[in-house]
Amino acid sequence: MPNNPIFVTKPTLAPLEEFTEILNGVWDRGILTHNGPLVQELEQEVCKKLNINHFVAVTNGTIAIQMAIKALGVKGEIITTPFTWVATLSAIQWEGCTPVFCDIEPDTLNIDPTQLEACITPNTVAIMPVHVFGNPCDVEAIDLIAKKYGLKVIYDAAHAIGSTYKGQSLLEYGNISATSLHATKLFNTAEGGACITKDLELFEKLKRIRFFGHDQKKAIVEEGFNGKVTEVHAALGLANLKYFDSVLKDRKAKYGIYKDALSGFEGISFQELKFGGANYSYFPIIFDSEEQLLNAEQLLNKEKVYPRRYFYPAVNTLEAIVTYKEMPIAEDIAKRILCLPLYYDLKEEEQEFIIQLLLKLKNS
Ligand SMILES: Cc1ncc(COP(=O)(O)O)c(C=O)c1O
C-alpha cells in the first residue's frame, strides 16, 4: 500500500533548477509583465509544438473564454453543454450572454450535434461546445450547423491541448478555441490559459483585448481588460514545455493500463473516443449506478485514494446561477462518472494498487 494519499491529479513540474535558470533572465532584465520576452517565446514555442499559427497566452482559461466572446463581439444566446465545469457558464454570463443548454451524447460525453438545431432561436449568436476530457467533439457537424445559421463557434478547449482532429491540432477548430493552462492540466503555467484562432484579425484583436484595448501605439482603440501573463508564469511554461511530448506519451500509456485492466468489469463503461486524437488527459469511468460509484469512492477513500466526481453536478442544475432546465443525459452521466488518478508522477505500483482496489469491488 502506498504511503501517501493519491489525489486525482498532480501538476507536472519540470525540475526546479530548469525553472530557476530561466528565472535568472527575468531578474537580469527586470521585466515582469506586459508581453515580456518570455511570454512571446512561450507563445512561439507552443505554436511550433502544436503546429499552429496563433496562440495568445492569457491569465487563465476562464478569461480566455470571456476574451473569445468579446473578440467575436457577440451578444445573445450561446448554446453550450450542461456537462462541463462551471467556468464555461460563468464566462458566458460575465460577457452578458445567456447560456442555452443542449444535452450531450451518452457515449462521447460531448454536445450532441443532432440536438443543436432544436436549440437555435432568433437570439442565438454562438455555439460553445466543450471537448470533454480532451475528446474531440464532432467538429465537422458543428461547423456545418454554425455555417447554416450564421453562428460563431467558440470551443471551450480547456482540456484539449495536445488533442488532434484529422492530424491537426484540435485547438484550430471553431472561430476561437479557449484552452486552460491551469496547474491540473496536461501542460501548465500554474494558472494560465490561451486563445487560439486561425484568423489573423481576431488574433490581433485578442492581443489588444488582453492589454486593456491598447493598440501597438498604446492608444485605446477598443474595450479590453487585463488578461496579461507574467514572465514568471511564462518561465514555468517554458520549463514545462520541454516535457510536453513525454507527458502526452505517459498519459496515453497509463490510460491504456487502466483501460486494459478494467475492460472486463461489468457495471462500468468508458467514454467513447469516436474520432481518435484525444490527449488522454483524464481517465473517467462511468458506473451503471450512482450507488456503485459511491461504493467505489468510499473504498478508494478508505485507502487514501481520492478520485474526483467530475463533472458533477451537471451545470444546468446550478440553480444559484441559472434557471434549471432538464438535461436528462448530462444529469444522469454526471451522477455516475468518476475520474481516476492520472498524472505524470503516478507510479506504476500506485496505479496497480488503484486497479486492484477496483477489481476487489468487482468481485465483492
Ligand atoms: C471545461 C472547463 N472550462 C473552463 C475551465 C476554466 O479554466 P481555468 O481554471 O484555467 O480558468 C475549466 C477548468 O478546469 C474547465 O474544466
Side-chain angles (χ1 to χ4, degrees), residues 60-62 65 84-85 87-88 130 156 158-159 180 182 185 192 310-311:
N60 59 60
T62 310
I65 302 172
T84 185
W85 180 238
T88 316
V130 177
D156 178 339
H159 296 175
S180 168
H182 178 254
K185 300 297 186 288
Y310 189 61
F311 302 111

Side-chain angles (χ1 to χ4, degrees), residues 33-305:
T33 184
H34 279 37
N35 202 24
L38 294 185
V39 170
Q40 293 181 42
E41 188 182 336
L42 178 69
E43 290 177 338
Q44 284 158 14
E45 291 304 316
V46 173
C47 281
K48 271 195 236 159
K49 175 65 64 197
L50 302 178
N51 197 19
I52 59 176
N53 288 316
H54 307 307
F55 182 93
V56 183
V58 299
T59 21
N60 59 60
T62 310
I63 288 289
I65 302 172
Q66 287 186 237
M67 281 180 52
I69 298 171
K70 221 177 246 311
L72 290 166
V74 288
K75 271 276 180 293
E77 292 175 2
I78 299 185
I79 303 173
T80 191
T81 167
F83 191 63
T84 185
W85 180 238
V86 66
T88 316
L89 198 58
S90 52
I92 291 174
Q93 298 195 143
W94 271 72
E95 288 310 312
C97 293
T98 309
V100 170
F101 294 111
C102 173
D103 214 344
I104 58 167
E105 298 175 321
D107 42 15
T108 67
L109 313 182
N110 287 330
I111 206 162
D112 182 351
T114 66
Q115 297 197 45
L116 271 177
E117 285 192 87
C119 301
I120 296 173
T121 75
N123 298 324
T124 308
V125 288
I127 308 172
M128 190 182 294
V130 177
H131 300 298
V132 174
F133 305 131
N135 182 29
C137 290
D138 190 342
V139 291
E140 292 184 50
I142 292 167
D143 190 47
L144 277 178
I145 295 167
K147 288 215 166 87
K148 184 170 162 190
Y149 292 91
L151 306 174
K152 304 290 183 198
V153 180
I154 301 166
Y155 280 106
D156 178 339
H159 296 175
I161 199 160
S163 295
T164 56
Y165 182 85
K166 294 195 171 164
Q168 185 187 340
S169 170
L170 187 57
L171 303 181
E172 290 221 301
Y173 289 86
N175 296 91
I176 302 178
S177 284
T179 196
S180 168
L181 307 178
H182 178 254
T184 55
K185 300 297 186 288
L186 200 135
F187 166 61
N188 85 84
T189 56
E191 286 281 358
C195 291
I196 298 92
T197 180
K198 278 184 171 168
D199 181 320
L200 184 61
E201 260 179 52
L202 275 178
F203 171 61
E204 295 297 342
K205 189 168 183 183
L206 285 161
K207 285 197 290 185
R208 290 194 298 273
I209 291 173
R210 173 179 68 177
F211 192 28
F212 304 112
H214 276 299
D215 68 1
Q216 306 266 17
K217 298 187 189 113
K218 304 270 162 43
I220 303 289
V221 291
E222 60 198 307
E223 187 186 49
F225 51 36
N226 184 352
K228 288 175 280 133
V229 175
T230 74
E231 289 288 278
V232 177
H233 289 86
L236 181 60
L238 283 165
N240 287 343
L241 193 62
K242 272 176 65 184
Y243 297 88
F244 188 82
D245 293 335
S246 33
V247 171
L248 262 185
K249 205 166 140 207
D250 174 78
R251 280 290 220 283
K252 189 171 181 182
K254 286 181 177 140
Y255 185 103
I257 292 171
Y258 270 138
K259 183 92 189 276
D260 289 348
L262 300 173
S263 274
F265 193 143
E266 218 178 287
I268 63 169
S269 54
F270 308 100
Q271 180 185 31
E272 188 194 347
L273 309 178
K274 199 172 188 170
F275 302 104
N279 59 6
Y280 304 98
S281 45
Y282 297 81
F283 192 83
I285 52 178
I286 305 164
F287 289 88
D288 279 357
S289 71
E290 187 174 19
E291 193 191 342
Q292 283 170 307
L293 176 146
L294 293 171
N295 283 342
E297 192 184 31
Q298 197 181 38
L299 176 93
L300 292 166
N301 287 176
K302 226 168 94 194
E303 301 295 339
K304 294 195 290 183
V305 176

